[in-house]
PDB file of all heavy atoms in Angstrom:
ATOM      1  N   ASP A 131     -11.343 -31.548 -18.511  1.00 98.00           N
ATOM      2  CA  ASP A 131     -12.477 -31.363 -17.604  1.00 98.00           C
ATOM      3  C   ASP A 131     -11.991 -31.439 -16.162  1.00 98.00           C
ATOM      4  O   ASP A 131     -11.355 -32.421 -15.774  1.00 98.00           O
ATOM      5  CB  ASP A 131     -13.546 -32.424 -17.868  1.00 98.00           C
ATOM      6  CG  ASP A 131     -14.900 -32.012 -17.319  1.00 98.00           C
ATOM      7  OD1 ASP A 131     -15.137 -30.795 -17.136  1.00 98.00           O
ATOM      8  OD2 ASP A 131     -15.728 -32.901 -17.061  1.00 98.00           O
ATOM      9  N   PHE A 132     -12.299 -30.380 -15.411  1.00 98.00           N
ATOM     10  CA  PHE A 132     -11.909 -30.348 -14.001  1.00 98.00           C
ATOM     11  C   PHE A 132     -13.035 -30.909 -13.124  1.00 98.00           C
ATOM     12  O   PHE A 132     -14.023 -31.480 -13.639  1.00 98.00           O
ATOM     13  CB  PHE A 132     -11.529 -28.913 -13.608  1.00 98.00           C
ATOM     14  CG  PHE A 132     -10.159 -28.521 -14.094  1.00 98.00           C
ATOM     15  CD1 PHE A 132      -9.986 -27.948 -15.353  1.00 98.00           C
ATOM     16  CD2 PHE A 132      -9.037 -28.759 -13.308  1.00 98.00           C
ATOM     17  CE1 PHE A 132      -8.721 -27.609 -15.808  1.00 98.00           C
ATOM     18  CE2 PHE A 132      -7.768 -28.423 -13.756  1.00 98.00           C
ATOM     19  CZ  PHE A 132      -7.612 -27.841 -15.005  1.00 98.00           C
ATOM     20  N   TYR A 163      -9.149 -34.270 -15.750  1.00 97.00           N
ATOM     21  CA  TYR A 163      -8.722 -35.345 -16.646  1.00 97.00           C
ATOM     22  C   TYR A 163      -8.782 -34.805 -18.070  1.00 97.00           C
ATOM     23  O   TYR A 163      -9.502 -33.842 -18.347  1.00 97.00           O
ATOM     24  CB  TYR A 163      -9.616 -36.595 -16.504  1.00 97.00           C
ATOM     25  CG  TYR A 163     -11.025 -36.399 -16.999  1.00 97.00           C
ATOM     26  CD1 TYR A 163     -11.403 -36.782 -18.293  1.00 97.00           C
ATOM     27  CD2 TYR A 163     -11.992 -35.808 -16.186  1.00 97.00           C
ATOM     28  CE1 TYR A 163     -12.692 -36.579 -18.761  1.00 97.00           C
ATOM     29  CE2 TYR A 163     -13.287 -35.605 -16.642  1.00 97.00           C
ATOM     30  CZ  TYR A 163     -13.626 -35.991 -17.928  1.00 97.00           C
ATOM     31  OH  TYR A 163     -14.905 -35.780 -18.387  1.00 97.00           O
ATOM     32  N   GLU A 203     -24.106 -33.394 -17.007  1.00 98.00           N
ATOM     33  CA  GLU A 203     -23.389 -32.643 -15.977  1.00 98.00           C
ATOM     34  C   GLU A 203     -23.428 -31.175 -16.381  1.00 98.00           C
ATOM     35  O   GLU A 203     -23.005 -30.817 -17.486  1.00 98.00           O
ATOM     36  CB  GLU A 203     -21.940 -33.121 -15.834  1.00 98.00           C
ATOM     37  CG  GLU A 203     -21.851 -34.522 -15.255  1.00 98.00           C
ATOM     38  CD  GLU A 203     -20.433 -34.946 -14.878  1.00 98.00           C
ATOM     39  OE1 GLU A 203     -19.467 -34.399 -15.460  1.00 98.00           O
ATOM     40  OE2 GLU A 203     -20.302 -35.834 -14.010  1.00 98.00           O
ATOM     41  N   GLU A 205     -22.036 -27.733 -16.451  1.00 98.00           N
ATOM     42  CA  GLU A 205     -20.696 -27.187 -16.256  1.00 98.00           C
ATOM     43  C   GLU A 205     -20.540 -25.863 -16.990  1.00 98.00           C
ATOM     44  O   GLU A 205     -21.313 -25.536 -17.891  1.00 98.00           O
ATOM     45  CB  GLU A 205     -19.630 -28.158 -16.807  1.00 98.00           C
ATOM     46  CG  GLU A 205     -19.739 -29.559 -16.216  1.00 98.00           C
ATOM     47  CD  GLU A 205     -18.498 -30.405 -16.434  1.00 98.00           C
ATOM     48  OE1 GLU A 205     -17.440 -29.838 -16.807  1.00 98.00           O
ATOM     49  OE2 GLU A 205     -18.587 -31.622 -16.230  1.00 98.00           O
ATOM     50  N   ASP A 237     -21.541 -32.109 -19.938  1.00 98.00           N
ATOM     51  CA  ASP A 237     -20.639 -33.268 -20.015  1.00 98.00           C
ATOM     52  C   ASP A 237     -21.471 -34.538 -19.792  1.00 98.00           C
ATOM     53  O   ASP A 237     -21.503 -35.096 -18.700  1.00 98.00           O
ATOM     54  CB  ASP A 237     -19.549 -33.111 -18.944  1.00 98.00           C
ATOM     55  CG  ASP A 237     -18.554 -34.249 -18.940  1.00 98.00           C
ATOM     56  OD1 ASP A 237     -18.390 -34.896 -19.991  1.00 98.00           O
ATOM     57  OD2 ASP A 237     -17.942 -34.489 -17.878  1.00 98.00           O
ATOM     58  N   LYS A 257     -17.580 -40.858 -20.792  1.00 97.00           N
ATOM     59  CA  LYS A 257     -17.646 -39.411 -20.932  1.00 97.00           C
ATOM     60  C   LYS A 257     -17.445 -38.923 -22.360  1.00 97.00           C
ATOM     61  O   LYS A 257     -17.848 -37.813 -22.687  1.00 97.00           O
ATOM     62  CB  LYS A 257     -16.536 -38.768 -20.082  1.00 97.00           C
ATOM     63  CG  LYS A 257     -16.657 -39.020 -18.592  1.00 97.00           C
ATOM     64  CD  LYS A 257     -17.618 -38.039 -17.972  1.00 97.00           C
ATOM     65  CE  LYS A 257     -17.534 -38.079 -16.468  1.00 97.00           C
ATOM     66  NZ  LYS A 257     -18.418 -37.073 -15.872  1.00 97.00           N
ATOM     67  N   GLY A 363     -16.096 -28.881 -14.391  1.00 98.00           N
ATOM     68  CA  GLY A 363     -16.654 -29.978 -13.609  1.00 98.00           C
ATOM     69  C   GLY A 363     -18.079 -29.603 -13.205  1.00 98.00           C
ATOM     70  O   GLY A 363     -18.477 -28.433 -13.279  1.00 98.00           O
ATOM     71  N   THR A 364     -18.828 -30.609 -12.799  1.00 98.00           N
ATOM     72  CA  THR A 364     -20.235 -30.397 -12.432  1.00 98.00           C
ATOM     73  C   THR A 364     -20.354 -29.310 -11.373  1.00 98.00           C
ATOM     74  O   THR A 364     -19.694 -29.362 -10.343  1.00 98.00           O
ATOM     75  CB  THR A 364     -20.829 -31.709 -11.883  1.00 98.00           C
ATOM     76  OG1 THR A 364     -20.621 -32.727 -12.844  1.00 98.00           O
ATOM     77  CG2 THR A 364     -22.313 -31.549 -11.598  1.00 98.00           C
TER      78      THR A 364
HETATM   79 MN1  LIG B 501     -17.614 -33.474 -16.049  1.00 70.70          MN
END
Side-chain angles (χ1 to χ4, degrees):
D131 200 23
F132 283 89
Y163 68 96
E203 292 190 335
E205 305 196 14
D237 180 25
K257 297 277 192 177
T364 306

